[in-house]
């Protein structure tokens, strides 16, 4: 029996990291994840895997480390010797990046450079996936955006991701590294962080439906995003590293919806009038709102055969129903 392929994931406890871990475990990988040493030992998105004695410490392994600590990262690489690296970690909330710009740029920018340098020094080649973002396009000069659309970020997060994305291209061209940029548009799921607007809406709608809350306070309702399913997008990450040549790919649905449409669809799941419960607070509006960000995923479709599944209403329903289950569990 051949040895399992080894993958190393930064950001394994996040939304994408947890879905990617499940996907790789299904494919027979040995999965290693880098986690921060914190006082909170409960890592909810992967806790079901950590508690499974057949998986944890057999197929799934966690290592303490920090993206700012190059020495520890090198030690982890030496011990794990990954064939594939999925770099997903970092502060990923765009609005928050205006409040903590320095740490956002350190985590998204310099940490990527650190990992590229470590990958370059490995005795065996490592296939490297970098989680880029549609926010690199910001005030986009064209719609939809493709892999060749100029970068014009409109936030500190977008600037940091643009820097990291360019570094990936430089290291690929200069050193021949197998490194890919996945330029992912917004992707959601029941595991989305609670500080993201989609999860905030789904959570509030469930509580309002069960009589626990009355209002949902939001910023700009006309803000539009290209929203897909996180489960599909981690499949795209994996496909990029299986191809014979490294490249950059836009991963998107090609359709945009407004926050208002998300709200309408969410309240429709519980059959309540949204107008009665939604309040606008201008303090939640971003200092700078990007232009119409919508991606063209033709390249990844033609080259790797990837395409998004499900519909926008299905995604919203999935998120609201997951929140309803949580509310019911707490009431018991």
């Amino acid at each position: 029996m051949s040895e399992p392929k080894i993958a190393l994931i930064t950001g394994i406890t996040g939304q994408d990291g947890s879905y990617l871990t499940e996907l790789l475990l299904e494919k027979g990988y040995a999965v290693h994840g880098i986690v921060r040493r914190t006082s909170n030992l409960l890592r909810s998105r992967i806790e079901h895997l950590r508690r499974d004695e057949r998986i944890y410490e057999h197929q799934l392994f966690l290592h303490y480390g920090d993206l700012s600590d190059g020495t520890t990262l090198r030690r982890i690489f030496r011990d794990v010797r990954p064939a594939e690296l999925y770099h997903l970690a970092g502060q990923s909330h765009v609005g928050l990046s205006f409040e903590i710009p320095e740490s956002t740029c350190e985590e998204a920018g310099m940490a990527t450079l650190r990992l590229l340098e470590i990958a370059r020094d490995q005795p065996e080649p490592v296939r490297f996936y970098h989680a880029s973002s549609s926010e690199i396009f910001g005030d986009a000069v064209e719609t939809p955006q493709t892999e060749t659309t100029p970068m014009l970020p409109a936030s500190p997060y977008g600037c940091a991701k643009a820097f990291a994305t360019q570094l990936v291209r430089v290291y690929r061209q200069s050193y021949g590294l197998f490194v890919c940029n996945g330029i992912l548009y917004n992707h959601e799921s029941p595991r989305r962080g609670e500080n993201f607007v989609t999860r905030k809406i789904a959570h509030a709608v469930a509580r309002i439906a069960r009589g626990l809350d009355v209002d949902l306070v939001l910023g700009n309702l006309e803000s539009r995003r290209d929203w897909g399913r996180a489960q599909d997008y981690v499949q795209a990450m994996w496909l990029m590293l299986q191809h014979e040549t490294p490249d950059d790919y836009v991963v998107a649905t090609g359709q945009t919806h407004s926050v208002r449409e998300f709200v309408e669809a969410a309240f429709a799941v519980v059959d309540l009038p949204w107008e009665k419960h939604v309040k606008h607070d201008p303090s939640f509006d971003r200092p700078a709102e990007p232009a119409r960000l919508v991606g063209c995923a033709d390249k990844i479709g033609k080259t790797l055969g990837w395409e998004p599944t499900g519909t926008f209403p299905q995604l919203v329903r999935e998120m609201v129903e997951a929140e309803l289950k949580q509310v019911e569990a707490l009431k018991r």
Side-chain angles (χ1 to χ4, degrees), residues 182-198:
I183 306 167
L184 272 57
Y185 282 66
N186 293 58
H187 45 289
E188 316 300 313
S189 76
R191 297 182 191 173
R192 192 51 143 152
E194 286 177 16
N195 54 346
F196 287 84
V197 69
T198 50

Side-chain angles (χ1 to χ4, degrees), residues 24 29 150 214 221 240 260 270 279:
L24 295 177
Y29 280 66
V214 177
L221 289 179
M240 287 179 213
R260 184 189 301 275
V270 295
K279 305 280 187 291

Side-chain angles (χ1 to χ4, degrees), residues 24-213:
L24 295 177
L25 289 173
E26 278 171 27
K27 293 183 180 296
Y29 280 66
V31 179
H32 294 255
I34 298 175
V35 295
R36 284 178 175 167
R37 189 182 284 278
T38 64
S39 56
N40 178 15
L41 294 174
L42 188 68
R43 301 180 173 93
S44 59
R45 295 185 187 96
I46 59 165
E47 193 62 18
H48 62 295
L49 300 171
R50 212 169 71 89
R51 286 182 175 161
D52 190 329
E53 292 176 2
R54 294 162 304 166
I55 294 174
Y56 191 55
E57 299 290 7
H58 295 284
Q59 250 192 298
L60 173 64
F61 308 86
L62 298 179
H63 306 263
Y64 287 119
D66 194 285
L67 293 179
S68 63
D69 184 349
T71 304
T72 303
L73 291 175
R74 284 184 181 275
R75 193 174 296 132
I76 291 169
F77 266 79
R78 184 196 66 204
D79 295 344
V80 172
R81 299 176 71 176
E84 295 177 5
L85 169 67
Y86 295 87
H87 176 35
L88 314 180
Q91 195 293 103
S92 61
H93 193 279
V94 180
L96 191 59
S97 75
F98 285 96
E99 295 174 40
I100 51 167
E102 210 170 309
S103 62
T104 297
C105 291
E106 169 63 38
E107 288 178 21
M110 290 307 295
T112 304
L113 175 58
R114 206 166 282 125
L115 288 167
L116 284 165
E117 276 293 302
I118 294 170
R120 186 161 78 91
D121 289 342
Q122 294 312 296
E124 297 294 325
V126 179
R127 294 194 169 205
F128 186 146
Y129 169 83
H130 168 245
S132 183
S133 164
S134 60
E135 294 290 331
I136 64 174
F137 300 128
D139 297 320
V141 295
E142 59 187 10
T143 300
Q145 295 87 45
T146 70
E147 292 78 9
T148 57
T149 298
M151 298 180 196
L152 285 171
S155 66
Y157 174 75
C159 289
K161 282 294 183 187
F163 169 68
T165 302
Q166 298 281 33
L167 276 173
V168 163
R169 291 177 179 171
V170 167
Y171 272 64
R172 185 169 63 223
Q173 289 159 4
S174 304
Y175 301 117
L177 291 188
F178 192 112
V179 55
C180 302
N181 282 307
I183 306 167
L184 272 57
Y185 282 66
N186 293 58
H187 45 289
E188 316 300 313
S189 76
R191 297 182 191 173
R192 192 51 143 152
E194 286 177 16
N195 54 346
F196 287 84
V197 69
T198 50
R199 177 77 186 280
K200 180 181 174 179
I201 294 166
H203 181 70
V205 166
R207 289 182 61 82
I208 291 166
R210 296 297 178 257
L212 299 172
D213 280 333

Side-chain angles (χ1 to χ4, degrees), residues 117 149 185 187 213 218 234 263 283 304 318 322:
E117 276 293 302
T149 298
Y185 282 66
H187 45 289
D213 280 333
L218 293 168
V234 299
V263 167
S283 70
L304 306 181
E318 192 178 296

